[in-house]
Amino acid sequence: MDHPMSQIDPDQLKVILATDCGSTTTKAILIQYVDGEYRQTHRGEAPTTVEKPFANVTAGVLNSVSEIGELAGRRLVDDDGHIISPATETEGCDIYISTSSAGGGLQMMVAGVIAEMTAASAKRAALGAGSIVMDVIAANDGRRPHDQIQRIRDLRPDMILISGGTDGGTTDKVVQIAELIAPAKPQPRFGSSYEMPIIYAGNKEARDAVSNVFNEDGFDLQIVDNLRPVLERENLGPARDKIHDIFLEHVMAQAPGYEQLMEWTGAPIMPTPGAVGDILQTVARLQGINVVGVDIGGATTDVFSVFDDTFNRTVSANLGMSYSISNVCAEATMANVLRWVPFDMDERELRNHVKNKMIRPTTIPQTREALMFEQAVAREALRLAYKQHKEFATTLKGVQQQRTVGDTFSQETGGMTIVDNMKLDLLVASGGVLSHAPRMHQTAMLLIDAFEPEGITMLAKDSIFMMPHLGVLASVHPQAAEQVFERDCLVYLGTCVCAKGTPKPGKTCFKYQLSGDCTESGEIAGGELKLINMGMDDHATISVTPARGIDLGNGPGKKVEGKVRGGSVGLILDGRGRPLSLPEERAACQKTVQGWLDSLDVYQEDNEDKSTEPAGA
Amino acid sequence: MGMTGMMKAVLVLFAMAVLSLSQAFAVDITLSPPSNVETEDAPNDVGTQVWVRWDASLDDVELDQSSGRSLLGYAIYRKIDETGSGLESTAEMATNASELSFSANFDFQGVQPIGSVSYGRTQFLDENVENGMTYLYAVAATGPGDTFSPLAVADLPVTASMEYFNRGKLWFLLIMLAISGVIIGFVLYAKRGGIIKVRPIAGLEAVSEAVGRATEMGKPVLFVPGILDINDIQTVAGITVLANVAKTAAQYDAQLRVPTARSLVMTTARETVESAYLGEGRPDAYNEDNIYYLTDDQFGYTAGVQGVMVREEPAACFYMGAFYAESLILAETANSIGAIQIAGTAMPSQLPFFVAACDYTLIGEEFFAASAYLSNDPEQLGSLKGQDIGKIIAAGLLVVGCVLATIAVTNGSRGARIAELYIKDNILGADGLVPNANKVAEIDAAMESQSQQPLGKGGDS
């Protein structure tokens, strides 16, 4: 579908309307050019109306947009129920853009020859495009062909991505995979007349053979460039673009009301996670930083990372805070969850609490103890999701290594993780348990405990989950997206300075000196956490001298200087060491955790933080 | 003077001439003999050594510089019990001593001594005796010309005997028992489900990566098991790795080629690969023609493998076994065709070439640990861990020994010297559990003589 994107002059965009059609809620925001910069000015939301009785996504969109119109005093919807565009002084918007994850978002199955090579690249392409990967079929996945065929038959993906073989590489294995899929005749989720889209992004010499296999009714084969033309390089762009196209042309077109919605939008509708990935990539590129973003939901946890311009996204399908909470407790073990709780809890009662949360996902903790337990589960869910992300976000496998004699005792294999917490500059949190924590300090503590950042890292949260809107805006006007991201989307929690290594308890871990808006100096002992008050607009230079064996970014024992900024929490100095370890013995563990919570004033009882409301709310 | 007188005079002259001539060839037994000759069967041996000790001769002294020495050394003689049965007990020896004896008119010129030592020495180790035979020893002092002392004969004969336990190497036994105990302990620990961590070996971790690369590129995997025969331990280790490579190739349905330089290696490799394919449920994919013999000749084989590389352009090459000059030739050729290369050998001279030209290299012990690493078998892992403990003990002794030796030289303290002596001669040597009193006495004497040196000796006074 052609969109008039090429005709858009970014400089003419002064009023931008964006919506994100989620499974349950449609969220709309209004971005306006105010005093020489783009700001998010108003937001509104309404229930999503994809399901019956409405069965038309535009109804929810119009409801949310109307709410904004009322708040802004600006008429955005005309009497015929259309979004007014272009904008005038008092009504309409210059562009309307949208993302969508309604109806389960984009669900794909991918296939490749070797699970760790072309199949992994295909999975990266699919995840990067914002889809949920239902399964990965590979020649070495350990399943017999009949099991693979049965699995393909059982799944109902929106589309299938096939890769395999380098250009000029194996043809037989690629055709074998195609011959598994074709007779299985997988059925799409939507529409009985809908032909299953197959994207082939493998060995170019196998294109004819693959075409012959799918040369029958029921398949819509699309061929794009090989996503692994040589094993040394990935070329995910063409496959990702094709996934977006098919998402719009096939998947969205089948969902109720989307055809009309696509006519309204000035840029292609993007899958919500894909848009989040895009805005993080845009920010990382424009600011030259490494970013990790996390969105923890009820059923799944998405982790995004951009390290040295390489983007990765993972969806941990069984790690979430409501539908998947039981799985988190099972996978992490209750003992690991409870290590974050500084008092004794009855395990039977906890199990009941977990099951209740699973069958009543919208309930929220009513007591301080319940909140602490839920946040303990969140720590483990985030920790496990990040671990999975690290295992997936790796250098390419199957690549030739260049060696010298100096490498004799330090030979590293391919497929090492590219996620390096020491290089991480910005950690962004979103999702109910993080965004709606009663105190920002809790969000900060959750992030530090779960992700274990090292060195100097900025912490922020996307309080109203605006990143999807900005992701699609980035495809139209990257500067505007970055400005809004920086000023309105992110609520800065502060900066954490975390020591890597094993500091001796009670002995000096590092010395620090602050200059700028905040001047202070002192030292942090091993196992100590300290909070220094730095306001939202405070900036300072920190000089840190670590003890021997402790690393803060320049190597063990080497002095580090860096910029820090304050936030709603402040500057957090962490001398607990990395990897973070808690005492095995329960009483000692409780005492240690209580000490950490007290240091950051995480669960202050009488002074609830009211500053969690986002700007422009 | 008459005719008779003349005859007498001639006879006297003849007798004097004969006497003086005989005196010219006779030995001069004028030296003082050594005393207290004692013999002892050397302890902790297999019955082939006897110690002979004596007190020095009174003439074993240095005269003034112009005269030199009248005693130059000692000659050792022995008599052997001709019956060959040996004499069992001391009493028996005393009884039979008369049967083993030296003649009072010992023929110094006719009998060769079994050994000799120079002046000042008072012991001799006869290393040329037979287990179970009885010997009687005698010692005579020797001087310039044919000067001898009378023979000093040992009081008792001695019977060479073998000891079943070498008590001098008790430390060796203790260390061996300790390491064996540790190995058995780790094996039992692993069998009971204990976790034995083996550090990741990049070369073995990369096997699946290399085979995967070959599969994606639609090219074969080449495995070279070295150029030595199956009786070489490196070839055996290489075949162990081949089993793993074959298993991965069967899983990935990759083509595996194994050219060999020995027919027995070919047969073993075929058995190994076939069983790996069977284990993975892919007997149909096994083709024995892919495992073949080229030639025994080193460079003929190298040329053959190079030919395979250039023609078939394998995407992954494994070199696991014993290699010589062909190592770099093979690795460079495979590098030129863009293959991932994994090498493993215990040939120190070839390792630098493999490290520089290959993607991954298993070095010595890593190569031999491959079997335990790949199989994850508790017995093998336990054994590997136990051996590591043995190596740590050896390395620890080396470090402690070096430190003590350094202290002993620089500081000169008695404790350090004795500790060094203990490590060197008791733990690593053959002096048993208790320090040798003589050696300790030597250290004490040396220290005493050092302490008596005048201050400033060796200076620039």
Side-chain angles (χ1 to χ4, degrees), chain B residues 70-361:
Chain B
S70 61
L71 186 149
L72 294 180
Y74 298 93
I76 295 92
Y77 301 90
R78 78 175 181 201
K79 288 272 184 180
I80 187 166
D81 179 5
E82 295 295 343
T83 61
S85 59
L87 302 170
E88 294 292 327
S89 65
T90 308
E92 207 175 353
M93 289 176 193
T95 312
N96 294 285
S98 56
E99 293 174 17
L100 269 180
S101 59
F102 288 89
S103 157
N105 300 316
F106 187 73
D107 180 7
F108 285 101
Q109 285 183 318
V111 179
Q112 284 296 315
I114 58 160
S116 60
V117 296
S118 63
Y119 58 84
R121 305 284 298 275
T122 55
Q123 62 178 16
F124 172 75
L125 179 65
D126 183 2
E127 297 180 282
N128 194 24
V129 298
E130 280 185 49
N131 181 32
M133 299 297 284
T134 300
Y135 301 89
L136 180 66
Y137 286 86
V139 182
T142 59
D146 278 338
T147 319
F148 288 88
S149 73
L151 274 181
V153 182
D155 290 342
L156 291 173
V158 62
T159 302
S161 62
M162 178 181 79
E163 283 77 33
Y164 288 98
F165 292 99
N166 183 349
R167 291 192 183 86
K169 298 217 169 180
L170 269 174
W171 266 109
F172 184 77
L173 175 70
L174 291 175
I175 291 172
M176 192 188 73
L177 287 175
I179 293 173
S180 304
V182 169
I183 289 173
I184 292 166
F186 273 113
V187 169
L188 292 176
Y189 172 73
K191 275 187 167 178
R192 285 175 192 157
I195 296 167
I196 291 182
K197 195 181 167 195
V198 182
R199 73 174 167 82
I201 299 175
L204 297 174
E205 294 285 309
V207 167
S208 60
E209 197 180 338
V211 178
R213 180 184 169 88
T215 312
E216 290 281 8
M217 295 177 76
K219 291 178 175 176
V221 175
L222 182 71
F223 190 99
V224 184
I227 62 163
L228 293 187
D229 215 332
I230 196 68
N231 59 353
D232 187 87
I233 188 69
Q234 295 183 68
T235 311
V236 175
I239 295 292
T240 309
V241 179
L242 172 64
N244 186 256
V245 173
K247 188 177 152 193
T248 315
Q251 284 169 358
Y252 290 14
D253 197 16
Q255 290 287 317
L256 176 64
R257 307 265 193 278
V258 188
T260 65
R262 296 285 188 276
S263 53
L264 276 178
V265 176
M266 180 191 75
T267 312
T268 315
R270 280 183 172 174
E271 294 279 338
T272 305
V273 173
E274 187 176 13
S275 104
Y277 273 75
L278 274 169
E280 290 303 308
R282 295 299 311 275
D284 55 306
Y286 170 67
N287 179 2
E288 72 170 16
D289 291 342
N290 286 339
I291 300 153
Y292 49 88
Y293 166 80
L294 282 176
T295 170
D296 275 33
D297 181 76
Q298 181 186 9
F299 289 104
Y301 176 73
T302 308
V305 174
Q306 272 188 299
V308 173
M309 285 176 175
V310 174
R311 283 191 301 277
E312 301 191 21
E313 295 192 342
C317 293
F318 293 85
Y319 314 105
M320 298 284 169
F323 292 88
Y324 292 87
E326 68 283 353
S327 63
L328 192 59
I329 301 171
L330 294 177
E332 279 298 317
T333 308
N335 192 289
S336 71
I337 56 166
I340 278 193
Q341 302 187 87
I342 303 176
T345 187
M347 308 294 281
S349 55
Q350 305 308 318
L351 278 170
F353 302 125
F354 276 142
V355 169
C358 295
D359 297 64
Y360 305 95
T361 308

Side-chain angles (χ1 to χ4, degrees), chain A residues 112-119 139-140 144 164-166 168-171 173 176 231-232 396-409 411-415, chain B residues 201-203 205-206 208-219 251-254 280-282 334-335 337-341 352 355-363:
Chain A
V113 170
I114 299 295
E116 298 81 13
M117 293 174 193
T118 47
N140 67 327
R144 312 297 299 168
T166 54
T170 182
T171 301
K173 305 284 186 304
Q176 278 170 18
L231 285 172
E232 281 70 20
L396 297 179
K397 276 199 162 187
V399 175
Q400 251 196 321
Q401 309 283 330
Q402 294 300 318
R403 301 276 187 216
T404 66
V405 176
D407 297 332
T408 308
F409 300 108
Q411 299 173 11
E412 285 190 349
T413 51
Chain B
I201 299 175
E205 294 285 309
S208 60
E209 197 180 338
V211 178
R213 180 184 169 88
T215 312
E216 290 281 8
M217 295 177 76
K219 291 178 175 176
Q251 284 169 358
Y252 290 14
D253 197 16
E280 290 303 308
R282 295 299 311 275
N335 192 289
I337 56 166
I340 278 193
Q341 302 187 87
V355 169
C358 295
D359 297 64
Y360 305 95
T361 308
L362 304 177
I363 300 165

Side-chain angles (χ1 to χ4, degrees), chain A residues 18 29 37 174 209 271 299 411 419 431 466 485-486 563 573 608 613:
Chain A
I29 61 167
E37 60 182 7
V174 182
Q411 299 173 11
V419 175
M466 203 195 298
F485 182 81
E486 182 75 10
K563 303 277 184 197
L573 303 176
E608 291 294 293
E613 284 298 304

